Amino acid sequence: MLYPTRPTVPVKGHLPVLLPMRSTGEPLPLTDRVFNLWTAALLFVACAVALVTPALAQQDGESQRSIIEILLEWTPTIGSGFAFNVLISICSMAVGTVLGVGLGILQVSPLRFVRQVSWAITQFFRNSPWLVLLFYCILLIPFQIEIFGTEVPFPGWIKAVLGLSLPVMAYMSEYVRGAIMSIPEGQWESAESLGFNRAQTMREIILPQTVKRILPSWMNLYAVLTMATPLVSIVGVNDVMALTRAALSAEGRVDLLIPMYLYILCWFFIYCYPISAFTRRLERKFSVQL
Amino acid sequence: MAWTSDQPIISLKDVHKSFGNTEVLRGITMDVRKGEVVCIIGPSGSGKSTLIRCINALNDIQSGSISVEGQEVSDPKLDKLELRKKVGMVFQQYNLFPHKTALQNVMMAPIKVLKQDRKAVEERARALLKKVRLEGKEDSFPGELSGGQQQRVAIARSLAMNPDVMLFDEVTAALDPETVKEVLQTIKTLASEGMTCILVTHEMGFAREIADCVYFTDKGVIVESGPPATFFDQAKDPRTREFLSQIL
Ligand SMILES: Nc1ncnc2c1ncn2[C@@H]1O[C@H](COP(=O)(O)OP(=O)(O)OP(=O)(O)O)[C@@H](O)[C@H]1O
Ligand SMILES: [Mg+2]
């Protein structure tokens, strides 16, 4: 058990109010379950074992290079591949956030029809497997489009960005809707009595107040999205996974497989862990303030 | 028909309002003249809040008529902005914008809604905060102010729109006894300067002191009304007398 559970027998001096506030039915956020100090420690021990054991075993072998040497040699390639993943994640996040905020606002529209349609879109994309959405985007979007007679190429990675931004949009839409609904009715009323119209109220008063509430979930979503970016290698984008596979086949060594993938895991961990740690700090800070 | 200041500034005629099947206002008629201070008292749930919310069109009405400076509030073609420029409202829960400082709260509506010049608005906003005796708190956020201070910022925020009428809905009900006085003092100053005020209040002493006319509502109708001296000391209706004996 990584998190303390409530003792079933009342203990003297045990104050339930002092426990972190988490309703029991609500699961921990995904990043919290994946990233904590235990998994960090485990990962590093595993890395060390995986790297050091074969290296030691090979010391009497003749001309073979050590695993660490090979990893170091491939590091620039892997680094550039990883940078591509980061680029894809940032672009998808940006597109998804913009679309999601719009969709979320439509979800609280006074017009019933608009509310229903945006709700349906949100639910559809929130409950679709990300990989399937990716495939759809790759297949449905042509690889170049004609704008005023000039051919504008549409490379695979941009299609992948669009594919990944769809679920981001749907999650954002839900966060935004929830945050807007959590703003007290009195804010709308006082704005209305001061002469603000609906759009002005939304822009000047409601949305600015939702930022604080959405930020932790938004960052959490970004960490999850980054971890999902290797999916794009399946649809033919040369991301870190694709490059790693290429490196592995170039080296042609079976004992390289596990250390290499562990190495990739470390890259992701080092990038995502600070984000989720920071997210949890924000969550704690806001939960005290609000 | 042009409105002139010798006619009632607010005039309600046989106003009916229901939420679903429950009729909350059942024929309210009242006139408020310019510069008058009117207090509305009555038991909880008698429709006091609903009544003043109807005056600035936060709630719509089913039948009857409400006019503000001759403008019909229930008219579907009503320019709501015109109405809201004339009528300011202060709420029990202050409803300040928590992400803005006191000064920004006061400045926001004139700048964003009335598109007035920022410099002039800021000058006026500082003067208003001074008037409600909050100089030095301009840069505090609502969360850093006491209830009474927040409520005074809310009053200044309403005044920044230069309204002709101010509506106060139990503005001291959420405050501790010490801070109630500060807010009442502010309202008293306003009233003495000739601002038309409609107050829903449970502060009987205050009502007696500043009101020109007191209305007692029960179950959606006005049971009795009159100047405070006669109203408080010679109430005729048994319901009024019972309410007053409970509360005084
Ligand atoms: N939005 C609404 N929907 C349905 N019913 C409402 C709504 N607002 C008020 N009511 C009902 O209307 C009645 C009058 O409410 P109102 O708030 O006007 O009373 P009040 O006199 O201001 O009471 P209090 O002194 O407690 O503030 C109450 O019975 C209330 O339940
Ligand atoms: Mg009320």
Side-chain angles (χ1 to χ4, degrees):
Chain A
M1 265 295 149
L2 299 176
Y3 287 88
T5 45
R6 243 162 256 206
T8 42
V9 198
V11 179
K12 198 177 173 218
H14 167 77
L15 296 171
V17 285
L18 294 180
L19 287 174
M21 207 175 68
R22 275 221 163 71
S23 64
T24 39
E26 176 192 349
L28 290 166
L30 185 58
T31 44
D32 273 22
R33 274 180 287 164
V34 176
F35 294 129
N36 51 51
L37 280 179
W38 290 106
T39 46
L42 221 70
L43 195 65
F44 281 115
V45 169
C47 273
V49 171
L51 292 178
V52 171
T53 325
L56 288 178
Q58 271 156 23
Q59 280 197 339
D60 37 33
E62 311 98 62
S63 59
Q64 278 204 330
R65 290 170 302 157
S66 79
I67 300 232
I68 295 183
E69 261 180 283
I70 299 176
L71 288 188
L72 283 178
E73 241 169 70
W74 284 104
T75 295
T77 315
I78 288 174
S80 69
F82 186 77
F84 195 39
N85 283 58
V86 170
L87 176 72
I88 289 176
S89 70
I90 291 175
C91 293
S92 315
M93 200 64 195
V95 175
T97 301
V98 171
L99 294 178
V101 170
L103 196 60
I105 292 173
L106 293 184
Q107 276 206 81
V108 295
S109 159
L111 302 173
R112 202 185 140 98
F113 176 74
V114 174
R115 258 193 336 259
Q116 283 172 342
V117 170
S118 51
W119 177 84
I121 295 175
T122 302
Q123 293 307 318
F124 179 78
F125 287 114
R126 215 163 73 106
N127 296 291
S128 308
W130 294 26
L131 185 56
V132 180
L133 289 178
L134 261 181
F135 265 110
Y136 260 95
C137 275
I138 298 286
L139 293 175
L140 288 184
I141 303 173
F143 42 104
Q144 52 185 20
I145 38 177
E146 243 186 67
I147 301 174
F148 303 123
T150 43
E151 310 258 282
V152 180
F154 230 76
W157 75 272
I158 290 196
K159 293 196 254 182
V161 162
L162 291 179
L164 286 178
S165 70
L166 290 175
V168 172
M169 168 191 79
Y171 278 94
M172 262 318 270
S173 169
E174 278 298 90
Y175 298 156
V176 169
R177 185 187 65 98
I180 291 176
M181 307 253 282
S182 77
I183 302 291
E185 186 69 18
Q187 292 288 308
W188 286 97
E189 285 179 350
S190 59
E192 197 182 344
S193 72
L194 287 168
F196 286 85
N197 61 31
R198 201 185 150 81
Q200 286 169 329
T201 308
M202 194 59 110
R203 199 174 55 234
E204 306 288 342
I205 291 154
I206 305 299
L207 286 182
Q209 291 185 57
T210 62
V211 172
K212 230 161 95 172
R213 294 170 201 231
I214 294 174
L215 199 59
S217 321
W218 183 77
M219 288 174 53
N220 201 48
L221 181 61
Y222 178 67
V224 173
L225 169 71
T226 307
M227 292 185 282
T229 51
L231 287 176
V232 302
S233 70
I234 302 177
V235 293
V237 177
N238 273 329
D239 81 321
V240 68
M241 283 301 273
L243 291 177
T244 304
R245 270 204 302 271
L248 283 170
S249 63
E251 288 292 336
R253 275 174 57 171
V254 183
D255 58 342
L256 201 56
L257 275 172
I258 289 174
M260 193 67 134
Y261 282 118
L262 264 175
Y263 190 45
I264 308 297
L265 274 185
C266 288
W267 276 84
F268 276 99
F269 183 86
I270 289 167
Y271 185 72
C272 291
Y273 181 74
I275 297 177
S276 66
F278 185 59
T279 307
R280 263 173 295 162
R281 262 223 347 246
L282 278 184
E283 255 167 7
R284 231 166 293 142
K285 200 174 127 209
F286 291 162
S287 73
V288 172
Q289 267 182 10
L290 287 177
Chain B
M1 180 191 69
W3 175 79
T4 52
S5 59
D6 54 318
Q7 291 167 326
I9 190 164
I10 288 176
S11 174
L12 284 77
K13 285 196 188 66
D14 197 28
V15 172
H16 287 257
K17 163 76 188 166
S18 315
F19 291 108
N21 287 329
T22 41
E23 195 168 25
V24 177
L25 300 181
R26 299 183 298 154
I28 300 273
T29 300
M30 73 196 294
D31 280 344
V32 179
R33 308 202 144 267
K34 194 169 165 55
E36 225 179 2
V37 177
V38 165
C39 286
I40 302 172
I41 61 173
S44 183
S46 60
K48 307 180 297 295
S49 300
T50 310
L51 173 61
I52 68 170
R53 290 161 58 90
C54 286
I55 295 175
N56 77 342
L58 280 181
N59 286 150
D60 51 358
I61 59 174
Q62 264 78 47
S63 70
S65 103
I66 300 177
S67 68
V68 176
E69 294 187 1
Q71 188 181 28
E72 183 56 49
V73 172
S74 56
D75 184 350
K77 294 197 297 288
L78 164 82
D79 181 357
K80 287 233 169 110
L81 183 54
E82 277 307 309
L83 175 70
R84 265 115 202 203
K85 278 196 250 175
K86 291 177 192 156
V87 183
M89 177 150 181
V90 185
F91 300 83
Q92 180 177 339
Q93 297 300 338
Y94 338 128
N95 296 344
L96 291 181
F97 305 133
H99 60 301
K100 300 278 182 184
T101 64
L103 185 66
Q104 289 169 336
N105 262 282
V106 178
M107 289 170 61
M108 231 172 143
I111 291 177
K112 304 284 178 191
V113 177
L114 304 180
K115 317 277 183 213
Q116 290 173 353
D117 172 60
R118 171 175 282 273
K119 263 243 167 63
V121 171
E122 179 169 343
E123 210 168 289
R124 214 171 69 234
R126 285 185 189 279
L128 280 171
L129 284 176
K130 195 164 171 193
K131 183 187 168 94
V132 298
R133 294 189 291 121
L134 282 174
E135 59 253 88
K137 297 288 180 191
E138 287 87 355
D139 298 322
S140 305
F141 283 90
E144 301 161 351
L145 298 173
S146 76
Q149 291 171 333
Q150 289 189 57
Q151 194 59 289
R152 282 180 286 153
V153 174
I155 293 174
R157 181 177 68 171
S158 258
L159 291 175
M161 295 289 281
N162 269 328
D164 298 333
V165 182
M166 287 286 283
L167 309 175
F168 298 90
D169 187 2
E170 295 192 38
V171 290
T172 56
L175 302 177
D176 11 308
E178 299 98 88
T179 51
V180 166
K181 243 194 276 156
E182 315 167 346
V183 175
L184 294 185
Q185 186 55 48
T186 306
I187 298 175
K188 211 154 88 184
T189 313
L190 269 182
S192 68
E193 288 167 1
M195 173 68 76
T196 312
C197 297
I198 300 182
L199 298 102
V200 172
T201 185
H202 287 302
E203 304 283 332
M204 293 306 148
F206 182 66
R208 182 193 281 256
E209 190 182 342
I210 75 158
D212 296 308
C213 188
V214 182
Y215 287 82
F216 174 69
T217 59
D218 190 21
K219 302 195 176 70
V221 293
I222 292 174
V223 175
E224 192 165 355
S225 69
T230 39
F231 179 88
F232 284 109
D233 299 328
Q234 302 155 36
K236 289 184 215 73
D237 197 281
R239 278 179 288 176
T240 319
R241 271 195 297 232
E242 193 198 332
F243 179 76
L244 289 176
S245 72
Q246 278 168 1
I247 209 156
L248 288 176

